[in-house]
Amino acid sequence: MSKIIAPGAVLGILGSGQLGRMFALAAKRMGYRVHTYSPDRDTPTGQVADKEVQAPYEDLDALAAFSKEVDVVSFEFENVPSLASECAARYVPVRPRGEVLHIIQNRLREKTFISSRGFPLAPFHPVRSEAELEAAVAAIGVPAVLKTAGFGYDGKGQVVIRRPQEARAAWQQLGEVEAVLEGFVDFKSELSVVAARGLDGEFAHYGVIENLHSNHILDLSIPDAPIEPRLRQEAIDIARGLMEALDVVGVLCVEMFLTQDDRLLVNELAPRPHNSGHYTFDACLTDQFEQQVRAICGLPLGATDQQRPAVMANLLGDLWEQGEPNWAAALADPQVKLHLYGKAEPRPGRKMGHLVAFGSDREDARQRALAARAALLKR
Ligand code: AMP
């Protein structure tokens, strides 16, 4: 049997945002201690962790010192340099392993890996020069989406090309860096599967979640997407297959498109708990953060049963534009739960928190989530 990292041990997390914060809350509930490492201080994770280390991800001495004080390292932010996870791995287990990070943090490597293992994707071509972009546009056709290969999230680093003549401007807009051109998907809906995989290969998932975006940022997540059972099973099989192919220990989210003709296409992977799984914190027997703790500690995974219909609505910094939101008005509905991440500066587009609303069914929960969020602006 694999060695268990028992409660009382110290869990190290690279990154210090809200995902680390909720991971730390779940870990501390189970009696673990948590250290967080990032270049920032007074962070969402640092505010609830036992220790907050502030140092650059490139500072291998600081990383070595951090790793020596913890029993396992995981991450909540995948754009940590590969060298950082390699450095940590000299001292303690890193879960998921650094190779997973390495593949996922570059769209070209990620898509090449996904397609090489036979999973469905929109057509894509690597782009390393303007000439390659022109050839890719000719091969894929328009509309198409040009995405930088590295460090993109929430629609950052991408531009839609609607006519071949726009290729040059798009190439310049993204800064003439390595990129991927991808066919534009006329999707019916955007879906995600959040799943966990234990040290011994045990697998658990939260079904298929429907995601609605606004300005490329996740807006609402509605579990139990209304899709055919065949597609639901296929989506879960894709998540399981990818986790096995990558040998992930921890939590992984697969974001997918459902096309107008009912095909599932993988969009991207996140090797950690995901915004679309935040509702699990309130709504499921075992939430995605506790699963991450259990998986990286070599413990059995928990049951994922959802207690009641629930919907998650993100709270972005824009809600602060007219002053402090009206918390009491949002919480006037007793079926609503509030999560705030402890961020001091509410910039537009910045994820400051989320609401989870429960209801008698999906639609009731959705209405309550939207009404509670609208109530935040009541004066
Ligand atoms: P990403 O950062 O790749 O997850 O993209 C952010 C959002 O942009 C997605 O959630 C989609 O709404 C949209 N998007 C990305 N790629 C495509 C595509 N190939 N076709 C259509 N929409 C896309």
Side-chain angles (χ1 to χ4, degrees):
M1 206 177 103
S2 33
K3 192 166 165 281
I4 279 165
I5 297 169
V10 185
L11 313 184
I13 189 108
L14 301 181
S16 60
Q18 61 268 21
L19 300 172
R21 181 184 182 92
M22 290 181 266
F23 167 85
L25 292 171
K28 294 192 66 131
R29 189 174 58 190
M30 290 177 73
Y32 290 98
R33 283 177 296 151
V34 176
H35 291 189
T36 175
Y37 184 109
S38 82
D40 306 311
R41 57 183 291 276
D42 190 29
T43 57
T45 311
Q47 289 165 15
V48 299
D50 297 273
K51 185 169 177 181
E52 180 178 51
V53 175
Q54 183 192 14
Y57 293 120
E58 295 76 18
D59 184 343
L60 299 186
D61 291 335
L63 260 163
F66 173 82
S67 306
K68 284 180 195 163
E69 284 190 353
V70 303
D71 297 287
V72 60
V73 163
S74 191
F75 43 84
E76 63 104 55
F77 169 70
E78 60 266 33
N79 289 330
V80 172
S82 292
L83 267 181
S85 59
E86 277 168 33
C87 170
R90 272 186 232 129
Y91 305 96
V92 278
V94 175
R95 294 174 182 155
R97 66 204 173 94
E99 179 63 13
V100 176
L101 268 190
H102 178 71
I103 293 170
I104 282 173
Q105 62 191 201
N106 177 289
R107 283 192 203 271
L108 196 49
R109 276 198 295 270
E110 179 185 51
K111 287 180 189 297
T112 305
F113 179 87
I114 294 170
S115 71
S116 74
R117 299 305 174 104
F119 295 99
L121 280 170
F124 70 96
H125 272 257
V127 171
R128 296 187 191 86
S129 66
E130 199 180 318
E132 261 190 339
L133 176 57
E134 275 166 22
V137 169
I140 287 181
V142 286
V145 189
L146 184 66
K147 302 180 175 181
T148 54
F151 292 80
Y153 64 94
D154 287 346
K156 292 193 177 69
Q158 57 177 276
V159 40
V160 177
I161 298 176
R162 300 196 181 275
R163 296 179 307 147
Q165 304 89 292
E166 292 171 9
R168 175 168 212 183
W171 172 245
Q172 288 171 347
Q173 192 181 327
L174 290 190
E176 310 193 1
V177 292
E178 186 186 41
V180 183
L181 186 76
E182 192 179 292
F184 186 88
V185 181
D186 179 19
F187 55 78
K188 212 191 260 182
S189 59
E190 292 191 76
L191 306 171
S192 61
V193 175
V194 174
R197 186 164 177 268
L199 204 49
D200 56 1
E202 188 190 0
F203 176 76
H205 65 83
Y206 294 92
V208 181
I209 305 160
E210 182 181 3
N211 299 311
L212 300 163
H213 293 79
S214 173
N215 296 326
H216 292 287
I217 302 176
L218 183 63
D219 185 44
L220 288 185
S221 285
I222 313 178
D224 197 15
I227 56 173
E228 281 173 38
R230 165 187 74 83
L231 287 168
R232 181 180 187 275
Q233 191 55 50
E234 197 185 316
I236 293 163
D237 290 345
I238 288 172
R240 183 177 195 144
L242 282 166
M243 287 186 99
E244 286 172 0
L246 287 163
D247 192 17
V248 170
V249 174
V251 170
L252 178 114
C253 174
V254 186
E255 292 183 68
M256 302 179 210
F257 298 119
L258 178 62
T259 64
Q260 296 292 348
D261 57 353
D262 281 340
R263 284 176 304 124
L264 290 169
L265 300 176
V266 175
N267 176 27
E268 62 179 5
L269 311 180
R272 48 160 173 80
H274 188 258
N275 196 167
S276 63
H278 284 1
Y279 76 94
T280 65
F281 210 29
D282 298 300
C284 296
L285 214 55
T286 311
D287 63 78
Q288 61 170 351
F289 303 99
E290 183 178 334
Q291 296 286 43
Q292 186 185 17
V293 173
R294 287 175 178 240
I296 67 169
C297 291
L299 293 169
L301 301 178
T304 56
D305 306 42
Q306 190 178 330
Q307 326 268 21
R308 293 185 52 204
V311 166
M312 191 273 331
N314 267 340
L315 305 180
L316 302 184
D318 312 59
L319 286 164
W320 275 251
E321 254 162 30
Q322 308 297 326
E324 188 69 14
N326 190 339
W327 305 118
L331 294 177
D333 182 344
Q335 305 287 322
V336 169
K337 309 278 278 185
L338 172 68
H339 295 251
L340 289 172
Y341 307 146
K343 297 181 183 176
E345 242 187 281
R347 291 191 295 275
R350 189 176 196 203
K351 291 175 181 170
M352 300 296 290
H354 66 268
L355 296 171
V356 175
F358 291 90
S360 52
D361 56 25
R362 295 174 93 240
E363 186 49 27
D364 183 36
R366 192 179 73 88
Q367 295 290 351
R368 285 172 185 271
L370 292 176
R373 189 166 61 182
L376 288 172
L377 297 174
K378 272 194 197 153
R379 292 289 140 218

